[in-house]
Amino acid sequence: MGQEKETAGDTIGVEPRTTNTMMGDGDQKVFEESKHLGTLDRKLKSRHVQFLALSGAIGTGLFVGSGQVLSLAGPLSAFISYAVTGFNLFCVINSLGEMAAWLPLPGCVPIFATRYVDEALGFTLGWNYWYQFAIGVPIEVSVCCVIVDYWNNSVPKAALITVFFVAMVAINCFPVRIYGEAEFAFGAIKLTTIVGLILLMLIITCGGGPQGDPIGFRYWNNPGPMNEYLKDGALGRFLGFWKVFIQATFSYGGSEMVVVASGETENPRRNIPKAVRRVFWRIAIFYVLSIFLVGLCVSSEDPNLLNAIDSNSPGANQSPFVIAIENAGIKALPSIINAVVLSSAWSAGNSFFYASTRVLYSAALDGKAPAILKFEKFGVPYGCVAMTTALGCLSYLNLGNRSSEVFFWISNLSAVSTLIVWASVSYTYVCFYRGLKHNGIDRNTLPFKSPLQPYLAWFSICFCLIVAFFNGFDAFFPGRFSAKTFVPPYIDIPIVLALFFGYKFVKKTKFVRVQDMDLWSGKAEIDALEPHWPVVKPRNFLERIWFWIA
């Protein structure tokens, strides 16, 4: 079982042979083993991958959506919810990283589900994952329109939507190297900004602002660390704490796109593990620490914070970071931060667009999506780009609704989809773990061995399913039930069940037995490439620092 398979070519870009009636058993075997490799180019360099890992999904969920979490639940609840959800992401990304380092395929998630669990799950996961990423495109376009309104302008909203949306489509029509360079530039801006904001929040809370007023834990004492929601007392504080898990999940959604990109990454056996390890620091520093510090600087009852959500205040006024800066009396920074939030929102939407096309391409390679979606030119799956573009047209919902309503409605849909995908990924890893054990493969010999397994995966399965099923609890309180409160939290669950059981019924699929798991197809091709990837050594101290970063 452990013997290497026959290679299909010298590079990943070699197109698999096409089956026909004259194909012999040997050729059929080669085709089956190589079909998941696809024909995309491995043009993402180490620096592209590392910046995707550090900043790829940082966008409106952190810069804007965190304001809703703070105002609804209070600073302590916000801090704990982001910390716990961050740990859940840590579990998911480590599980996925171990599988992707073993077999780095384009958009690998649905293929892993097909091989290790059930074809029906691969089909369901491919389409749900595509939807999860693709729905992020209109979300970020919606927020871009809100942000631009910070500056007085008379540009029609339809024109703004078109500019932001068409730019995303255009970038994703170029070879992946162009996408990598764009995200590298935007990632550098985001990382610089978030580090600067963390330092600024620390200075403000210590009294280093123009007003010289030390804040400390003032707002934790009054109005308090945990806000009540729907009920008074301890129950109300718990309900407020529980309610914001879904928004915290949205903030982290898409963070695993660095693993989705493994099929287009140079030297994936080195770069993917390196990127996965850095996700922990992104969680701990960029999300959890920044939420903790901004919760010190801004009261959860700050009228600007509340009004920003209730009255659709323009631009970065929705961001608690900008509110903290304005309250501290700093005059020059709000417009600068607004521009950075705009670039971050567009960058996150661009990353979601890229990831959605690669997941859909993976599903097409596996036969779980129409064959036309396998159409590729210049290393770009243009059929998948067209599908994502079609869904991205939901951005024009802003023309008939307030942008904030569109943002929060669609973000809830995206977050529930994220939870279901994460639970499925973790269960797929549990099956992969069993497959390794059954085949006598020592995990210490893997390109990347994630820690504390399979316990991390089981934690993520339980956490994701519990939050997904109970996140819409407030819809069942007296006087609160409506389509707006019930549909967004729960519509994705019947869709997923219909996809899974519908495919199972039509195709008569069965769950994969551990002895039948395909752990090997395509691995020999990756193994053959591994010795040829260049290993660049630093020549001086500055290069050593740069190679540590990228």
Side-chain angles (χ1 to χ4, degrees):
M1 184 64 113
Q3 294 179 344
E4 290 187 347
K5 311 288 184 178
E6 178 184 353
T7 58
D10 293 333
T11 67
I12 293 300
V14 174
E15 188 166 356
R17 305 178 200 179
T18 306
T19 57
N20 57 58
T21 56
M22 300 299 293
M23 182 178 287
D25 292 341
D27 289 338
Q28 178 66 33
K29 182 179 179 182
V30 171
F31 170 75
E32 289 299 324
E33 292 180 354
S34 61
K35 70 176 182 177
H36 291 151
L37 296 174
T39 57
L40 304 184
D41 298 324
R42 291 189 179 272
K43 297 295 186 181
L44 290 180
K45 299 182 182 297
S46 177
R47 59 188 175 89
H48 299 147
V49 175
Q50 304 316 318
F51 271 66
L52 268 177
L54 288 171
S55 66
I58 293 179
T60 54
L62 176 61
F63 287 122
V64 178
S66 57
Q68 186 191 34
V69 176
L70 180 61
S71 65
L72 178 63
L76 178 59
S77 294
F79 172 72
I80 296 175
S81 67
Y82 269 82
V84 174
T85 308
F87 177 73
N88 182 46
L89 171 63
F90 175 79
C91 299
V92 174
I93 202 73
N94 273 273
S95 300
L96 186 53
E98 184 174 315
M99 293 188 289
W102 169 263
L103 196 60
L105 300 172
C108 52
V109 178
I111 294 175
F112 292 157
T114 295
R115 291 189 179 190
Y116 310 146
V117 185
D118 189 327
E119 276 191 45
L121 183 62
F123 171 80
T124 304
L125 207 51
W127 284 102
N128 201 62
Y129 224 146
W130 168 76
Y131 160 78
Q132 175 205 330
F133 284 133
I135 202 70
V137 175
I139 290 174
E140 302 299 339
V141 171
S142 299
V143 176
C144 285
C145 294
V146 176
I147 293 170
V148 170
D149 287 342
Y150 182 81
W151 299 287
N152 291 327
N153 68 86
S154 57
V155 182
K157 186 175 288 188
L160 289 174
I161 294 171
T162 302
V163 168
F164 293 127
F165 182 47
V166 170
M168 292 179 190
V169 177
I171 287 290
N172 282 275
C173 285
F174 288 109
V176 70
R177 183 183 69 256
I178 304 300
Y179 164 79
E181 294 296 348
E183 284 308 302
F184 177 77
F186 284 113
I189 294 172
K190 283 192 278 189
L191 291 177
T192 303
T193 301
I194 196 65
V195 171
L197 286 174
I198 287 172
L199 293 175
L200 183 58
M201 294 300 107
L202 181 61
I203 291 170
I204 290 174
T205 195
C206 292
Q211 298 175 353
D213 179 23
I215 300 173
F217 284 85
R218 178 190 306 167
Y219 299 129
W220 286 49
N221 295 321
N222 183 28
M226 303 180 77
N227 291 352
E228 298 171 346
Y229 180 63
L230 298 179
K231 294 287 185 179
D232 296 329
L235 177 59
R237 289 189 291 271
F238 172 77
L239 294 178
F241 165 70
W242 185 260
K243 183 61 181 175
V244 295
F245 271 110
I246 200 70
Q247 187 62 39
T249 298
F250 169 73
S251 297
Y252 286 115
S255 294
E256 68 276 29
M257 68 178 61
V258 63
V259 181
V260 173
S262 61
E264 296 173 272
T265 301
E266 289 184 353
N267 200 357
R269 295 270 170 77
R270 172 187 177 271
N271 291 326
I272 295 302
K274 185 178 178 183
V276 168
R277 293 186 187 101
R278 291 187 174 183
V279 168
F280 170 78
W281 298 107
R282 186 180 82 179
I283 294 169
I285 297 175
F286 298 153
Y287 282 93
V288 179
L289 181 59
S290 62
I291 291 298
F292 172 74
L293 289 174
V294 80
L296 294 177
C297 297
V298 180
S299 168
S300 61
E301 294 184 355
D302 188 292
N304 294 321
L305 185 66
L306 294 174
N307 288 339
I309 295 171
D310 294 337
S311 62
N312 192 29
S313 293
N317 276 348
Q318 292 191 9
S319 172
F321 296 95
V322 172
I323 293 172
I325 293 170
E326 291 179 338
N327 290 347
I330 303 174
K331 303 296 183 183
L333 277 181
S335 287
I336 297 174
I337 299 300
N338 193 69
V340 173
V341 172
L342 176 62
S343 70
S344 297
W346 187 88
S347 170
N350 191 41
S351 294
F352 288 136
F353 198 115
Y354 164 80
S356 68
T357 61
R358 271 47 182 185
V359 169
L360 193 56
Y361 180 72
S362 171
L365 289 177
D366 201 33
K368 304 300 188 298
I372 193 174
L373 297 178
K374 290 190 288 186
F375 174 73
E376 170 269 321
K377 198 76 173 175
F378 311 115
V380 180
Y382 284 108
C384 302
V385 170
M387 280 285 292
T388 301
T389 300
L391 186 64
C393 290
L394 287 175
S395 305
Y396 290 95
L397 286 174
N398 287 292
L399 299 179
N401 300 275
R402 294 193 314 172
S403 295
S404 62
E405 289 180 352
V406 175
F407 167 65
F408 289 120
W409 185 70
I410 301 182
S411 66
N412 202 306
L413 293 174
S414 176
V416 175
S417 176
T418 298
L419 288 168
I420 294 174
V421 166
W422 284 358
S424 302
V425 167
S426 298
Y427 182 72
T428 300
Y429 175 81
V430 170
C431 295
F432 173 76
Y433 180 90
R434 292 170 179 165
L436 294 177
K437 191 173 182 179
H438 175 81
N439 285 280
I441 301 173
D442 185 356
R443 290 181 62 239
N444 291 314
T445 65
L446 299 183
F448 172 63
K449 177 187 175 183
S450 55
L452 301 175
Q453 293 289 15
Y455 307 108
L456 293 185
W458 280 116
F459 170 84
S460 180
I461 293 169
C462 297
F463 177 83
C464 290
L465 293 180
I466 291 171
V467 174
F469 279 110
F470 293 102
N471 85 91
F473 67 89
D474 48 343
F476 300 98
F477 275 67
R480 294 185 59 88
F481 189 87
S482 67
K484 187 176 180 180
T485 58
F486 177 76
V487 173
Y490 291 112
I491 187 60
D492 201 56
I493 295 175
I495 291 175
V496 167
L497 293 176
L499 288 172
F500 180 80
F501 288 107
Y503 190 91
K504 238 180 137 47
F505 176 78
V506 172
K507 298 291 186 178
K508 311 297 183 186
T509 65
K510 296 181 179 180
F511 286 98
V512 178
R513 298 181 302 174
V514 66
Q515 61 266 32
D516 296 329
M517 283 184 190
D518 182 6
L519 299 171
W520 307 101
S521 294
K523 184 176 182 296
E525 288 79 358
I526 308 295
D527 292 342
L529 281 175
E530 192 169 3
H532 301 290
W533 296 117
V535 179
V536 183
K537 297 184 180 297
R539 294 169 296 180
N540 51 54
F541 178 72
L542 291 178
E543 282 195 353
R544 190 175 293 114
I545 294 176
W546 172 247
F547 289 169
W548 180 81
I549 295 173

